[in-house]
Amino acid sequence: GGGGGGKGNKGNELWRDAWERLYACVYTPTSSPSTQPTTPVPTCTTTKWHPGELRRRICTNSEIYPAIWNDPPLSETYFTDTADECCNKFYPGKKCRIRDIC
């Protein structure tokens, strides 16, 4: 046999932390050119649905989200295949706005 593991409120903390860090980055002007290659026109084919802005009940497929969400286990935590799935996962029983960017 094996013991299970309880799921705490860690997800919400991580989410809040990630957003605060993201917003901190967004508003800081960069003084030097970025070393990352610039991508052509963004396409929405790869972006799944995820929670939108902090403190608002929004699910969106925008490409604006903390980069750390791209790595497991966060990628499994924050991304869903459909807007409804996202709303049900993050805002169960509450009204949820859907923002389809694509």
Side-chain angles (χ1 to χ4, degrees):
K7 223 163 114 179
N9 214 7
K10 206 95 182 118
N12 277 350
E13 264 169 55
L14 281 170
W15 181 24
R16 196 168 298 125
D17 188 47
W19 272 111
E20 280 167 11
R21 238 179 280 163
L22 174 75
Y23 281 128
C25 293
V26 168
Y27 295 123
T28 310
T30 51
S31 51
S32 58
S34 108
T35 52
Q36 302 217 326
T38 51
T39 50
V41 180
T43 55
C44 286
T45 50
T46 54
T47 311
K48 293 189 164 199
W49 291 88
H50 58 85
E53 295 107 88
L54 191 61
R55 290 188 274 281
R56 293 196 185 169
R57 291 193 289 270
I58 294 175
C59 275
T60 181
N61 55 3
S62 87
E63 297 189 330
I64 301 169
Y65 57 83
I68 192 170
W69 289 7
N70 288 323
D71 304 320
L74 295 182
S75 57
E76 285 126 49
T77 304
Y78 291 109
F79 296 109
T80 60
D81 292 322
T82 66
D84 287 339
E85 201 182 327
C86 173
C87 285
N88 292 336
K89 183 173 186 175
F90 294 100
Y91 315 109
K94 298 190 175 102
K95 224 181 191 119
C96 167
R97 298 221 319 263
I98 292 168
R99 188 172 289 161
D100 192 340
I101 302 294
C102 302

PDB file of all heavy atoms in Angstrom, residues 37-76:
ATOM      1  N   PRO A  37      15.159  35.641 -28.944  1.00  0.00           N
ATOM      2  CA  PRO A  37      14.763  35.931 -30.331  1.00  0.00           C
ATOM      3  C   PRO A  37      13.319  36.416 -30.358  1.00  0.00           C
ATOM      4  O   PRO A  37      12.497  35.922 -29.611  1.00  0.00           O
ATOM      5  CB  PRO A  37      14.887  34.576 -31.028  1.00  0.00           C
ATOM      6  CG  PRO A  37      14.898  33.562 -29.936  1.00  0.00           C
ATOM      7  CD  PRO A  37      15.418  34.245 -28.714  1.00  0.00           C
ATOM      8  N   THR A  38      13.048  37.400 -31.182  1.00  0.00           N
ATOM      9  CA  THR A  38      11.682  37.893 -31.241  1.00  0.00           C
ATOM     10  C   THR A  38      10.888  36.966 -32.141  1.00  0.00           C
ATOM     11  O   THR A  38      11.376  36.528 -33.179  1.00  0.00           O
ATOM     12  CB  THR A  38      11.635  39.321 -31.797  1.00  0.00           C
ATOM     13  OG1 THR A  38      12.379  39.347 -33.013  1.00  0.00           O
ATOM     14  CG2 THR A  38      12.224  40.308 -30.818  1.00  0.00           C
ATOM     15  N   THR A  39       9.690  36.675 -31.715  1.00  0.00           N
ATOM     16  CA  THR A  39       8.868  35.760 -32.498  1.00  0.00           C
ATOM     17  C   THR A  39       8.014  36.559 -33.462  1.00  0.00           C
ATOM     18  O   THR A  39       7.651  37.693 -33.180  1.00  0.00           O
ATOM     19  CB  THR A  39       7.958  34.941 -31.567  1.00  0.00           C
ATOM     20  OG1 THR A  39       7.302  35.844 -30.690  1.00  0.00           O
ATOM     21  CG2 THR A  39       8.743  33.936 -30.766  1.00  0.00           C
ATOM     22  N   PRO A  40       7.679  35.959 -34.590  1.00  0.00           N
ATOM     23  CA  PRO A  40       6.794  36.651 -35.539  1.00  0.00           C
ATOM     24  C   PRO A  40       5.404  36.797 -34.939  1.00  0.00           C
ATOM     25  O   PRO A  40       5.211  36.535 -33.771  1.00  0.00           O
ATOM     26  CB  PRO A  40       6.774  35.705 -36.744  1.00  0.00           C
ATOM     27  CG  PRO A  40       7.241  34.383 -36.236  1.00  0.00           C
ATOM     28  CD  PRO A  40       8.116  34.670 -35.054  1.00  0.00           C
ATOM     29  N   VAL A  41       4.471  37.209 -35.741  1.00  0.00           N
ATOM     30  CA  VAL A  41       3.106  37.434 -35.274  1.00  0.00           C
ATOM     31  C   VAL A  41       2.644  36.264 -34.417  1.00  0.00           C
ATOM     32  O   VAL A  41       2.742  35.118 -34.838  1.00  0.00           O
ATOM     33  CB  VAL A  41       2.158  37.589 -36.480  1.00  0.00           C
ATOM     34  CG1 VAL A  41       0.737  37.830 -36.016  1.00  0.00           C
ATOM     35  CG2 VAL A  41       2.633  38.722 -37.373  1.00  0.00           C
ATOM     36  N   PRO A  42       2.161  36.555 -33.205  1.00  0.00           N
ATOM     37  CA  PRO A  42       1.753  35.463 -32.329  1.00  0.00           C
ATOM     38  C   PRO A  42       0.553  34.715 -32.891  1.00  0.00           C
ATOM     39  O   PRO A  42      -0.358  35.311 -33.434  1.00  0.00           O
ATOM     40  CB  PRO A  42       1.389  36.160 -31.019  1.00  0.00           C
ATOM     41  CG  PRO A  42       1.234  37.591 -31.343  1.00  0.00           C
ATOM     42  CD  PRO A  42       1.985  37.855 -32.598  1.00  0.00           C
ATOM     43  N   THR A  43       0.613  33.401 -32.772  1.00  0.00           N
ATOM     44  CA  THR A  43      -0.522  32.597 -33.194  1.00  0.00           C
ATOM     45  C   THR A  43      -1.068  31.940 -31.952  1.00  0.00           C
ATOM     46  O   THR A  43      -0.332  31.679 -31.016  1.00  0.00           O
ATOM     47  CB  THR A  43      -0.073  31.506 -34.183  1.00  0.00           C
ATOM     48  OG1 THR A  43       0.956  30.748 -33.571  1.00  0.00           O
ATOM     49  CG2 THR A  43       0.426  32.109 -35.472  1.00  0.00           C
ATOM     50  N   CYS A  44      -2.338  31.677 -31.972  1.00  0.00           N
ATOM     51  CA  CYS A  44      -2.972  31.153 -30.774  1.00  0.00           C
ATOM     52  C   CYS A  44      -3.090  29.637 -30.781  1.00  0.00           C
ATOM     53  O   CYS A  44      -3.760  29.067 -29.944  1.00  0.00           O
ATOM     54  CB  CYS A  44      -4.361  31.765 -30.633  1.00  0.00           C
ATOM     55  SG  CYS A  44      -4.300  33.474 -30.093  1.00  0.00           S
ATOM     56  N   THR A  45      -2.478  28.986 -31.700  1.00  0.00           N
ATOM     57  CA  THR A  45      -2.689  27.548 -31.821  1.00  0.00           C
ATOM     58  C   THR A  45      -2.187  26.770 -30.611  1.00  0.00           C
ATOM     59  O   THR A  45      -2.745  25.745 -30.276  1.00  0.00           O
ATOM     60  CB  THR A  45      -1.983  27.007 -33.081  1.00  0.00           C
ATOM     61  OG1 THR A  45      -0.637  27.482 -33.066  1.00  0.00           O
ATOM     62  CG2 THR A  45      -2.684  27.460 -34.341  1.00  0.00           C
ATOM     63  N   THR A  46      -1.147  27.262 -29.958  1.00  0.00           N
ATOM     64  CA  THR A  46      -0.574  26.485 -28.867  1.00  0.00           C
ATOM     65  C   THR A  46      -1.160  26.832 -27.508  1.00  0.00           C
ATOM     66  O   THR A  46      -1.045  26.048 -26.586  1.00  0.00           O
ATOM     67  CB  THR A  46       0.948  26.718 -28.784  1.00  0.00           C
ATOM     68  OG1 THR A  46       1.172  28.121 -28.687  1.00  0.00           O
ATOM     69  CG2 THR A  46       1.647  26.178 -30.015  1.00  0.00           C
ATOM     70  N   THR A  47      -1.754  28.000 -27.381  1.00  0.00           N
ATOM     71  CA  THR A  47      -2.192  28.428 -26.059  1.00  0.00           C
ATOM     72  C   THR A  47      -3.495  27.780 -25.657  1.00  0.00           C
ATOM     73  O   THR A  47      -4.475  27.823 -26.385  1.00  0.00           O
ATOM     74  CB  THR A  47      -2.354  29.955 -26.003  1.00  0.00           C
ATOM     75  OG1 THR A  47      -1.183  30.541 -26.537  1.00  0.00           O
ATOM     76  CG2 THR A  47      -2.540  30.421 -24.575  1.00  0.00           C
ATOM     77  N   LYS A  48      -3.467  27.171 -24.491  1.00  0.00           N
ATOM     78  CA  LYS A  48      -4.688  26.581 -23.956  1.00  0.00           C
ATOM     79  C   LYS A  48      -5.381  27.621 -23.092  1.00  0.00           C
ATOM     80  O   LYS A  48      -4.906  28.733 -22.930  1.00  0.00           O
ATOM     81  CB  LYS A  48      -4.336  25.352 -23.126  1.00  0.00           C
ATOM     82  CG  LYS A  48      -3.782  24.221 -23.972  1.00  0.00           C
ATOM     83  CD  LYS A  48      -3.666  22.962 -23.140  1.00  0.00           C
ATOM     84  CE  LYS A  48      -3.496  21.756 -24.029  1.00  0.00           C
ATOM     85  NZ  LYS A  48      -3.830  20.521 -23.338  1.00  0.00           N
ATOM     86  N   TRP A  49      -6.492  27.246 -22.513  1.00  0.00           N
ATOM     87  CA  TRP A  49      -7.241  28.147 -21.635  1.00  0.00           C
ATOM     88  C   TRP A  49      -6.626  28.166 -20.254  1.00  0.00           C
ATOM     89  O   TRP A  49      -6.159  27.142 -19.753  1.00  0.00           O
ATOM     90  CB  TRP A  49      -8.703  27.693 -21.573  1.00  0.00           C
ATOM     91  CG  TRP A  49      -9.387  27.921 -22.883  1.00  0.00           C
ATOM     92  CD1 TRP A  49      -9.421  27.053 -23.945  1.00  0.00           C
ATOM     93  CD2 TRP A  49     -10.099  29.083 -23.293  1.00  0.00           C
ATOM     94  NE1 TRP A  49     -10.122  27.628 -24.988  1.00  0.00           N
ATOM     95  CE2 TRP A  49     -10.551  28.874 -24.615  1.00  0.00           C
ATOM     96  CE3 TRP A  49     -10.407  30.295 -22.664  1.00  0.00           C
ATOM     97  CZ2 TRP A  49     -11.296  29.817 -25.322  1.00  0.00           C
ATOM     98  CZ3 TRP A  49     -11.144  31.228 -23.362  1.00  0.00           C
ATOM     99  CH2 TRP A  49     -11.582  30.999 -24.678  1.00  0.00           C
ATOM    100  N   HIS A  50      -6.616  29.320 -19.642  1.00  0.00           N
ATOM    101  CA  HIS A  50      -6.025  29.484 -18.312  1.00  0.00           C
ATOM    102  C   HIS A  50      -6.702  30.650 -17.611  1.00  0.00           C
ATOM    103  O   HIS A  50      -7.373  31.461 -18.253  1.00  0.00           O
ATOM    104  CB  HIS A  50      -4.508  29.713 -18.425  1.00  0.00           C
ATOM    105  CG  HIS A  50      -4.147  30.905 -19.266  1.00  0.00           C
ATOM    106  ND1 HIS A  50      -4.103  32.182 -18.751  1.00  0.00           N
ATOM    107  CD2 HIS A  50      -3.842  31.017 -20.582  1.00  0.00           C
ATOM    108  CE1 HIS A  50      -3.760  33.029 -19.724  1.00  0.00           C
ATOM    109  NE2 HIS A  50      -3.615  32.351 -20.849  1.00  0.00           N
ATOM    110  N   PRO A  51      -6.526  30.760 -16.279  1.00  0.00           N
ATOM    111  CA  PRO A  51      -7.133  31.881 -15.557  1.00  0.00           C
ATOM    112  C   PRO A  51      -6.561  33.204 -16.047  1.00  0.00           C
ATOM    113  O   PRO A  51      -5.387  33.284 -16.387  1.00  0.00           O
ATOM    114  CB  PRO A  51      -6.732  31.638 -14.102  1.00  0.00           C
ATOM    115  CG  PRO A  51      -6.189  30.272 -14.035  1.00  0.00           C
ATOM    116  CD  PRO A  51      -5.775  29.869 -15.411  1.00  0.00           C
ATOM    117  N   GLY A  52      -7.401  34.220 -16.058  1.00  0.00           N
ATOM    118  CA  GLY A  52      -6.964  35.547 -16.487  1.00  0.00           C
ATOM    119  C   GLY A  52      -6.426  36.339 -15.320  1.00  0.00           C
ATOM    120  O   GLY A  52      -5.831  35.782 -14.401  1.00  0.00           O
ATOM    121  N   GLU A  53      -6.670  37.648 -15.341  1.00  0.00           N
ATOM    122  CA  GLU A  53      -6.105  38.520 -14.319  1.00  0.00           C
ATOM    123  C   GLU A  53      -6.479  38.112 -12.907  1.00  0.00           C
ATOM    124  O   GLU A  53      -7.570  37.617 -12.664  1.00  0.00           O
ATOM    125  CB  GLU A  53      -6.571  39.967 -14.513  1.00  0.00           C
ATOM    126  CG  GLU A  53      -6.083  40.596 -15.773  1.00  0.00           C
ATOM    127  CD  GLU A  53      -7.208  40.736 -16.790  1.00  0.00           C
ATOM    128  OE1 GLU A  53      -7.905  41.754 -16.777  1.00  0.00           O
ATOM    129  OE2 GLU A  53      -7.384  39.798 -17.587  1.00  0.00           O
ATOM    130  N   LEU A  54      -5.577  38.373 -12.015  1.00  0.00           N
ATOM    131  CA  LEU A  54      -5.788  38.117 -10.601  1.00  0.00           C
ATOM    132  C   LEU A  54      -6.976  38.932 -10.102  1.00  0.00           C
ATOM    133  O   LEU A  54      -7.189  40.046 -10.570  1.00  0.00           O
ATOM    134  CB  LEU A  54      -4.516  38.533  -9.857  1.00  0.00           C
ATOM    135  CG  LEU A  54      -4.398  38.128  -8.396  1.00  0.00           C
ATOM    136  CD1 LEU A  54      -4.419  36.609  -8.267  1.00  0.00           C
ATOM    137  CD2 LEU A  54      -3.087  38.656  -7.835  1.00  0.00           C
ATOM    138  N   ARG A  55      -7.720  38.357  -9.173  1.00  0.00           N
ATOM    139  CA  ARG A  55      -8.869  39.032  -8.563  1.00  0.00           C
ATOM    140  C   ARG A  55     -10.029  39.261  -9.522  1.00  0.00           C
ATOM    141  O   ARG A  55     -10.946  40.004  -9.236  1.00  0.00           O
ATOM    142  CB  ARG A  55      -8.466  40.371  -7.910  1.00  0.00           C
ATOM    143  CG  ARG A  55      -7.612  40.153  -6.662  1.00  0.00           C
ATOM    144  CD  ARG A  55      -7.382  41.432  -5.904  1.00  0.00           C
ATOM    145  NE  ARG A  55      -6.243  42.173  -6.418  1.00  0.00           N
ATOM    146  CZ  ARG A  55      -4.984  41.880  -6.142  1.00  0.00           C
ATOM    147  NH1 ARG A  55      -4.694  40.857  -5.374  1.00  0.00           N
ATOM    148  NH2 ARG A  55      -4.010  42.599  -6.621  1.00  0.00           N
ATOM    149  N   ARG A  56      -9.976  38.659 -10.693  1.00  0.00           N
ATOM    150  CA  ARG A  56     -11.119  38.704 -11.608  1.00  0.00           C
ATOM    151  C   ARG A  56     -11.362  37.282 -12.062  1.00  0.00           C
ATOM    152  O   ARG A  56     -10.415  36.540 -12.304  1.00  0.00           O
ATOM    153  CB  ARG A  56     -10.799  39.551 -12.840  1.00  0.00           C
ATOM    154  CG  ARG A  56     -10.637  40.991 -12.504  1.00  0.00           C
ATOM    155  CD  ARG A  56     -10.714  41.789 -13.777  1.00  0.00           C
ATOM    156  NE  ARG A  56     -10.434  43.185 -13.503  1.00  0.00           N
ATOM    157  CZ  ARG A  56     -10.235  44.072 -14.451  1.00  0.00           C
ATOM    158  NH1 ARG A  56     -10.267  43.714 -15.705  1.00  0.00           N
ATOM    159  NH2 ARG A  56     -10.002  45.325 -14.140  1.00  0.00           N
ATOM    160  N   ARG A  57     -12.618  36.932 -12.182  1.00  0.00           N
ATOM    161  CA  ARG A  57     -12.924  35.568 -12.619  1.00  0.00           C
ATOM    162  C   ARG A  57     -12.995  35.544 -14.140  1.00  0.00           C
ATOM    163  O   ARG A  57     -14.044  35.740 -14.734  1.00  0.00           O
ATOM    164  CB  ARG A  57     -14.234  35.110 -11.983  1.00  0.00           C
ATOM    165  CG  ARG A  57     -14.088  34.904 -10.488  1.00  0.00           C
ATOM    166  CD  ARG A  57     -15.252  34.165  -9.904  1.00  0.00           C
ATOM    167  NE  ARG A  57     -16.462  34.984  -9.874  1.00  0.00           N
ATOM    168  CZ  ARG A  57     -16.802  35.762  -8.855  1.00  0.00           C
ATOM    169  NH1 ARG A  57     -16.025  35.840  -7.793  1.00  0.00           N
ATOM    170  NH2 ARG A  57     -17.918  36.446  -8.905  1.00  0.00           N
ATOM    171  N   ILE A  58     -11.840  35.313 -14.745  1.00  0.00           N
ATOM    172  CA  ILE A  58     -11.746  35.298 -16.203  1.00  0.00           C
ATOM    173  C   ILE A  58     -10.974  34.058 -16.636  1.00  0.00           C
ATOM    174  O   ILE A  58      -9.965  33.713 -16.034  1.00  0.00           O
ATOM    175  CB  ILE A  58     -11.007  36.547 -16.726  1.00  0.00           C
ATOM    176  CG1 ILE A  58     -11.816  37.808 -16.437  1.00  0.00           C
ATOM    177  CG2 ILE A  58     -10.702  36.435 -18.213  1.00  0.00           C
ATOM    178  CD1 ILE A  58     -11.106  39.094 -16.821  1.00  0.00           C
ATOM    179  N   CYS A  59     -11.451  33.419 -17.679  1.00  0.00           N
ATOM    180  CA  CYS A  59     -10.665  32.381 -18.331  1.00  0.00           C
ATOM    181  C   CYS A  59     -10.379  32.888 -19.734  1.00  0.00           C
ATOM    182  O   CYS A  59     -11.263  33.421 -20.411  1.00  0.00           O
ATOM    183  CB  CYS A  59     -11.432  31.061 -18.373  1.00  0.00           C
ATOM    184  SG  CYS A  59     -11.228  30.124 -16.840  1.00  0.00           S
ATOM    185  N   THR A  60      -9.142  32.734 -20.157  1.00  0.00           N
ATOM    186  CA  THR A  60      -8.726  33.288 -21.438  1.00  0.00           C
ATOM    187  C   THR A  60      -7.756  32.347 -22.134  1.00  0.00           C
ATOM    188  O   THR A  60      -7.166  31.471 -21.506  1.00  0.00           O
ATOM    189  CB  THR A  60      -8.059  34.666 -21.233  1.00  0.00           C
ATOM    190  OG1 THR A  60      -7.681  35.180 -22.509  1.00  0.00           O
ATOM    191  CG2 THR A  60      -6.838  34.572 -20.340  1.00  0.00           C
ATOM    192  N   ASN A  61      -7.592  32.534 -23.428  1.00  0.00           N
ATOM    193  CA  ASN A  61      -6.596  31.765 -24.172  1.00  0.00           C
ATOM    194  C   ASN A  61      -5.498  32.703 -24.668  1.00  0.00           C
ATOM    195  O   ASN A  61      -4.829  32.424 -25.640  1.00  0.00           O
ATOM    196  CB  ASN A  61      -7.249  31.013 -25.330  1.00  0.00           C
ATOM    197  CG  ASN A  61      -8.040  31.925 -26.247  1.00  0.00           C
ATOM    198  OD1 ASN A  61      -8.078  33.134 -26.069  1.00  0.00           O
ATOM    199  ND2 ASN A  61      -8.697  31.356 -27.231  1.00  0.00           N
ATOM    200  N   SER A  62      -5.333  33.813 -23.962  1.00  0.00           N
ATOM    201  CA  SER A  62      -4.297  34.769 -24.364  1.00  0.00           C
ATOM    202  C   SER A  62      -2.911  34.173 -24.096  1.00  0.00           C
ATOM    203  O   SER A  62      -2.767  33.227 -23.340  1.00  0.00           O
ATOM    204  CB  SER A  62      -4.440  36.073 -23.589  1.00  0.00           C
ATOM    205  OG  SER A  62      -3.743  36.005 -22.373  1.00  0.00           O
ATOM    206  N   GLU A  63      -1.916  34.765 -24.720  1.00  0.00           N
ATOM    207  CA  GLU A  63      -0.554  34.264 -24.527  1.00  0.00           C
ATOM    208  C   GLU A  63       0.143  34.999 -23.396  1.00  0.00           C
ATOM    209  O   GLU A  63       1.350  34.883 -23.219  1.00  0.00           O
ATOM    210  CB  GLU A  63       0.220  34.397 -25.835  1.00  0.00           C
ATOM    211  CG  GLU A  63      -0.401  33.532 -26.918  1.00  0.00           C
ATOM    212  CD  GLU A  63       0.440  33.448 -28.174  1.00  0.00           C
ATOM    213  OE1 GLU A  63       1.172  34.409 -28.479  1.00  0.00           O
ATOM    214  OE2 GLU A  63       0.360  32.416 -28.852  1.00  0.00           O
ATOM    215  N   ILE A  64      -0.614  35.779 -22.636  1.00  0.00           N
ATOM    216  CA  ILE A  64      -0.031  36.508 -21.511  1.00  0.00           C
ATOM    217  C   ILE A  64      -0.296  35.750 -20.229  1.00  0.00           C
ATOM    218  O   ILE A  64      -1.429  35.694 -19.757  1.00  0.00           O
ATOM    219  CB  ILE A  64      -0.618  37.927 -21.427  1.00  0.00           C
ATOM    220  CG1 ILE A  64      -0.326  38.681 -22.733  1.00  0.00           C
ATOM    221  CG2 ILE A  64      -0.048  38.663 -20.221  1.00  0.00           C
ATOM    222  CD1 ILE A  64      -1.086  39.974 -22.857  1.00  0.00           C
ATOM    223  N   TYR A  65       0.738  35.121 -19.723  1.00  0.00           N
ATOM    224  CA  TYR A  65       0.655  34.400 -18.460  1.00  0.00           C
ATOM    225  C   TYR A  65       2.088  34.174 -17.989  1.00  0.00           C
ATOM    226  O   TYR A  65       3.028  34.291 -18.777  1.00  0.00           O
ATOM    227  CB  TYR A  65      -0.099  33.069 -18.617  1.00  0.00           C
ATOM    228  CG  TYR A  65       0.491  32.142 -19.654  1.00  0.00           C
ATOM    229  CD1 TYR A  65       1.565  31.310 -19.341  1.00  0.00           C
ATOM    230  CD2 TYR A  65      -0.012  32.113 -20.948  1.00  0.00           C
ATOM    231  CE1 TYR A  65       2.117  30.477 -20.294  1.00  0.00           C
ATOM    232  CE2 TYR A  65       0.529  31.277 -21.907  1.00  0.00           C
ATOM    233  CZ  TYR A  65       1.593  30.461 -21.568  1.00  0.00           C
ATOM    234  OH  TYR A  65       2.148  29.636 -22.510  1.00  0.00           O
ATOM    235  N   PRO A  66       2.266  33.865 -16.711  1.00  0.00           N
ATOM    236  CA  PRO A  66       3.631  33.659 -16.204  1.00  0.00           C
ATOM    237  C   PRO A  66       4.329  32.516 -16.933  1.00  0.00           C
ATOM    238  O   PRO A  66       3.752  31.434 -17.094  1.00  0.00           O
ATOM    239  CB  PRO A  66       3.404  33.316 -14.728  1.00  0.00           C
ATOM    240  CG  PRO A  66       2.054  33.884 -14.406  1.00  0.00           C
ATOM    241  CD  PRO A  66       1.248  33.783 -15.668  1.00  0.00           C
ATOM    242  N   ALA A  67       5.544  32.747 -17.361  1.00  0.00           N
ATOM    243  CA  ALA A  67       6.294  31.746 -18.117  1.00  0.00           C
ATOM    244  C   ALA A  67       6.482  30.459 -17.326  1.00  0.00           C
ATOM    245  O   ALA A  67       6.578  29.375 -17.907  1.00  0.00           O
ATOM    246  CB  ALA A  67       7.657  32.316 -18.512  1.00  0.00           C
ATOM    247  N   ILE A  68       6.498  30.581 -16.012  1.00  0.00           N
ATOM    248  CA  ILE A  68       6.716  29.411 -15.165  1.00  0.00           C
ATOM    249  C   ILE A  68       5.578  28.397 -15.344  1.00  0.00           C
ATOM    250  O   ILE A  68       5.746  27.210 -15.089  1.00  0.00           O
ATOM    251  CB  ILE A  68       6.864  29.827 -13.686  1.00  0.00           C
ATOM    252  CG1 ILE A  68       7.391  28.666 -12.843  1.00  0.00           C
ATOM    253  CG2 ILE A  68       5.560  30.364 -13.123  1.00  0.00           C
ATOM    254  CD1 ILE A  68       7.786  29.056 -11.445  1.00  0.00           C
ATOM    255  N   TRP A  69       4.415  28.854 -15.801  1.00  0.00           N
ATOM    256  CA  TRP A  69       3.284  27.952 -16.021  1.00  0.00           C
ATOM    257  C   TRP A  69       3.547  26.964 -17.149  1.00  0.00           C
ATOM    258  O   TRP A  69       2.842  25.977 -17.298  1.00  0.00           O
ATOM    259  CB  TRP A  69       2.018  28.741 -16.339  1.00  0.00           C
ATOM    260  CG  TRP A  69       1.457  29.482 -15.175  1.00  0.00           C
ATOM    261  CD1 TRP A  69       2.021  29.613 -13.941  1.00  0.00           C
ATOM    262  CD2 TRP A  69       0.227  30.202 -15.132  1.00  0.00           C
ATOM    263  NE1 TRP A  69       1.205  30.386 -13.141  1.00  0.00           N
ATOM    264  CE2 TRP A  69       0.106  30.764 -13.838  1.00  0.00           C
ATOM    265  CE3 TRP A  69      -0.780  30.442 -16.066  1.00  0.00           C
ATOM    266  CZ2 TRP A  69      -0.978  31.540 -13.457  1.00  0.00           C
ATOM    267  CZ3 TRP A  69      -1.859  31.217 -15.685  1.00  0.00           C
ATOM    268  CH2 TRP A  69      -1.962  31.758 -14.389  1.00  0.00           C
ATOM    269  N   ASN A  70       4.561  27.224 -17.969  1.00  0.00           N
ATOM    270  CA  ASN A  70       4.868  26.309 -19.071  1.00  0.00           C
ATOM    271  C   ASN A  70       5.490  25.003 -18.591  1.00  0.00           C
ATOM    272  O   ASN A  70       5.541  24.034 -19.336  1.00  0.00           O
ATOM    273  CB  ASN A  70       5.823  26.979 -20.067  1.00  0.00           C
ATOM    274  CG  ASN A  70       5.113  28.062 -20.860  1.00  0.00           C
ATOM    275  OD1 ASN A  70       3.950  27.923 -21.223  1.00  0.00           O
ATOM    276  ND2 ASN A  70       5.806  29.146 -21.121  1.00  0.00           N
ATOM    277  N   ASP A  71       5.996  24.988 -17.374  1.00  0.00           N
ATOM    278  CA  ASP A  71       6.683  23.801 -16.869  1.00  0.00           C
ATOM    279  C   ASP A  71       5.771  22.971 -15.978  1.00  0.00           C
ATOM    280  O   ASP A  71       5.070  23.522 -15.150  1.00  0.00           O
ATOM    281  CB  ASP A  71       7.920  24.214 -16.055  1.00  0.00           C
ATOM    282  CG  ASP A  71       8.852  25.093 -16.868  1.00  0.00           C
ATOM    283  OD1 ASP A  71       9.030  24.803 -18.066  1.00  0.00           O
ATOM    284  OD2 ASP A  71       9.391  26.068 -16.313  1.00  0.00           O
ATOM    285  N   PRO A  72       5.832  21.633 -16.131  1.00  0.00           N
ATOM    286  CA  PRO A  72       5.081  20.784 -15.202  1.00  0.00           C
ATOM    287  C   PRO A  72       5.633  20.996 -13.804  1.00  0.00           C
ATOM    288  O   PRO A  72       6.825  21.279 -13.687  1.00  0.00           O
ATOM    289  CB  PRO A  72       5.376  19.363 -15.687  1.00  0.00           C
ATOM    290  CG  PRO A  72       5.940  19.515 -17.073  1.00  0.00           C
ATOM    291  CD  PRO A  72       6.534  20.892 -17.160  1.00  0.00           C
ATOM    292  N   PRO A  73       4.865  20.879 -12.735  1.00  0.00           N
ATOM    293  CA  PRO A  73       3.444  20.475 -12.749  1.00  0.00           C
ATOM    294  C   PRO A  73       2.512  21.653 -12.995  1.00  0.00           C
ATOM    295  O   PRO A  73       1.309  21.447 -13.096  1.00  0.00           O
ATOM    296  CB  PRO A  73       3.236  19.927 -11.340  1.00  0.00           C
ATOM    297  CG  PRO A  73       4.157  20.755 -10.488  1.00  0.00           C
ATOM    298  CD  PRO A  73       5.362  21.061 -11.360  1.00  0.00           C
ATOM    299  N   LEU A  74       3.025  22.871 -13.082  1.00  0.00           N
ATOM    300  CA  LEU A  74       2.146  24.029 -13.241  1.00  0.00           C
ATOM    301  C   LEU A  74       1.379  23.990 -14.561  1.00  0.00           C
ATOM    302  O   LEU A  74       0.226  24.398 -14.631  1.00  0.00           O
ATOM    303  CB  LEU A  74       2.935  25.335 -13.129  1.00  0.00           C
ATOM    304  CG  LEU A  74       3.560  25.601 -11.756  1.00  0.00           C
ATOM    305  CD1 LEU A  74       4.267  26.938 -11.731  1.00  0.00           C
ATOM    306  CD2 LEU A  74       2.523  25.553 -10.662  1.00  0.00           C
ATOM    307  N   SER A  75       2.017  23.455 -15.609  1.00  0.00           N
ATOM    308  CA  SER A  75       1.339  23.400 -16.899  1.00  0.00           C
ATOM    309  C   SER A  75       0.076  22.551 -16.805  1.00  0.00           C
ATOM    310  O   SER A  75      -0.927  22.832 -17.443  1.00  0.00           O
ATOM    311  CB  SER A  75       2.272  22.861 -17.986  1.00  0.00           C
ATOM    312  OG  SER A  75       2.754  21.587 -17.628  1.00  0.00           O
ATOM    313  N   GLU A  76       0.129  21.489 -15.985  1.00  0.00           N
ATOM    314  CA  GLU A  76      -1.055  20.644 -15.824  1.00  0.00           C
ATOM    315  C   GLU A  76      -2.073  21.323 -14.913  1.00  0.00           C
ATOM    316  O   GLU A  76      -3.259  21.042 -14.987  1.00  0.00           O
ATOM    317  CB  GLU A  76      -0.673  19.291 -15.216  1.00  0.00           C
ATOM    318  CG  GLU A  76       0.004  18.367 -16.210  1.00  0.00           C
ATOM    319  CD  GLU A  76       1.345  17.863 -15.698  1.00  0.00           C
ATOM    320  OE1 GLU A  76       1.414  17.390 -14.548  1.00  0.00           O
ATOM    321  OE2 GLU A  76       2.330  17.962 -16.451  1.00  0.00           O
TER     322      GLU A  76
END
